[in-house]
Amino acid sequence: MKSFIAFSKKEFIEYLRTYKLFISIMIFLILGFLNPISAKYLPEIVSLVMPEGVMNIPTPTVLDSWTQFFKNVPQMGLIIFLIVFGGIVANELHKGTLINMLSKGLPRHTVVLSKFITISLVWTFCYYLSFAITFLYNLLFWTDTSVYCLFASVSFVWLFGLLMISFIILGSILTKNMAGGLLLAGLAYVISMIISIFETLAQYSPIYLTNQNLALLTKSVSLSDFIPSISLTVIIIIINIFLSMSIFNKKQL
């Protein structure tokens, strides 16, 4: 446990030193502000630019703000986050900086678990920071801010982010480079998209957690519809972590 805590502290210091934490926080801060502001004022800007009567723009609601949130954060925010942290395992494997620590008795499984947990904590903080900012601005801009199953819908995207992090770590260990982690995460995303095309399998695809959020908010789907994708996603995360530890234990550094 002491080795885990010590290595995790080293990881957080590294995130600060390399500005990974700063960049991630700034990206999600910006997205948090943009979601409600664009939903609130973009229709007004469009109406000023377009000739009168050409386009009938409905009055924006809080649902428009959450629509922006579920478009921007799971796509732009998560992609940038994965790129920023994509080399977190590969860089140390490539430079050989782990050799000294491992030679002093640091268990290899501790390295994998620590990296997954620390990156996941950063993802959790940044993601819910963006959510909190959007939520607070929604309270300022609209009087009716009630949305059906909002917190559940937000949590589904967070879980999908953990899945992508697990693929990043597994891919980095397999290939010893940043591109391998990103390629594996991208491949997993594409496979999830292909599975979601088939109606009978769509609910089992992890991507269901991110592309059916608005449907849940509008009550087009129910919470129970997400159970298969949640279950499969959790299972894949666990498998990825165990595979990462197993491969790393046997890997020649």
Side-chain angles (χ1 to χ4, degrees):
M1 188 65 182
K2 288 183 180 179
S3 60
F4 174 82
I5 294 173
F7 190 80
S8 297
K9 285 181 180 179
K10 189 275 293 184
E11 289 295 290
F12 282 120
I13 292 172
E14 184 73 11
Y15 301 160
L16 288 169
R17 188 181 65 81
T18 56
Y19 301 103
K20 294 180 186 293
L21 184 59
F22 175 77
I23 293 171
S24 299
I25 290 174
M26 290 305 300
I27 292 297
F28 283 88
L29 270 174
I30 293 170
L31 291 176
F33 284 117
L34 283 178
N35 297 323
I37 290 173
S38 60
K40 179 70 173 178
Y41 295 110
L42 188 59
E44 295 181 16
I45 295 173
V46 172
S47 64
L48 290 174
V49 175
M50 298 293 293
E52 187 176 353
V54 172
M55 184 181 296
N56 183 24
I57 302 175
T59 303
T61 66
V62 71
L63 190 59
D64 295 308
S65 177
W66 290 120
T67 299
Q68 293 299 318
F69 178 88
F70 288 118
K71 284 182 178 179
N72 295 333
V73 177
Q75 296 178 25
M76 188 188 307
L78 181 56
I79 289 172
I80 294 175
F81 182 86
L82 293 176
I83 292 173
V84 168
F85 285 92
I88 202 64
V89 178
N91 289 342
E92 291 199 63
L93 291 175
H94 181 71
K95 296 176 182 178
T97 54
L98 285 173
I99 295 176
N100 287 335
M101 288 180 282
L102 293 173
S103 64
K104 292 178 181 179
L106 177 66
R108 293 196 177 200
H109 70 268
T110 298
V111 174
V112 175
L113 285 175
S114 177
K115 287 187 177 292
F116 175 73
I117 291 174
T118 53
I119 298 173
S120 297
L121 286 174
V122 176
W123 159 248
T124 300
F125 176 78
C126 293
Y127 177 70
Y128 280 103
L129 174 65
S130 184
F131 165 75
I133 293 171
T134 300
F135 186 85
L136 290 174
Y137 268 80
N138 287 346
L139 293 176
L140 292 173
F141 289 159
W142 290 280
T143 54
D144 183 12
T145 58
S146 59
V147 179
Y148 176 75
C149 284
L150 174 62
F151 293 100
S153 189
V154 168
S155 298
F156 296 155
V157 176
W158 168 79
L159 180 61
F160 184 79
L162 296 185
L163 176 67
M164 292 293 103
I165 291 170
S166 72
F167 276 114
I168 285 285
I169 291 175
L170 177 59
S172 295
I173 291 174
L174 282 170
T175 62
K176 284 191 177 183
N177 61 66
M178 176 180 173
L182 293 174
L183 284 173
L184 184 61
L187 180 63
Y189 186 91
V190 171
I191 292 174
S192 295
M193 288 290 293
I194 294 173
I195 294 173
S196 67
I197 295 174
F198 303 96
E199 187 174 348
T200 55
L201 299 176
Q203 290 184 3
Y204 293 91
S205 171
I207 204 70
Y208 193 85
L209 298 173
T210 64
N211 64 13
Q212 293 298 317
N213 306 88
L214 295 177
L216 178 61
L217 299 185
T218 56
K219 301 182 181 180
S220 299
V221 297
S222 65
L223 272 175
S224 60
D225 293 332
F226 288 84
I227 293 176
S229 56
I230 291 173
S231 302
L232 184 60
T233 299
V234 171
I235 291 171
I236 294 174
I237 291 172
I238 294 172
I239 291 174
N240 284 350
I241 297 305
F242 274 99
L243 276 176
S244 298
M245 289 190 293
S246 177
I247 294 170
F248 190 56
N249 281 336
K250 301 174 183 177
K251 202 160 191 75
Q252 183 70 35
L253 299 181

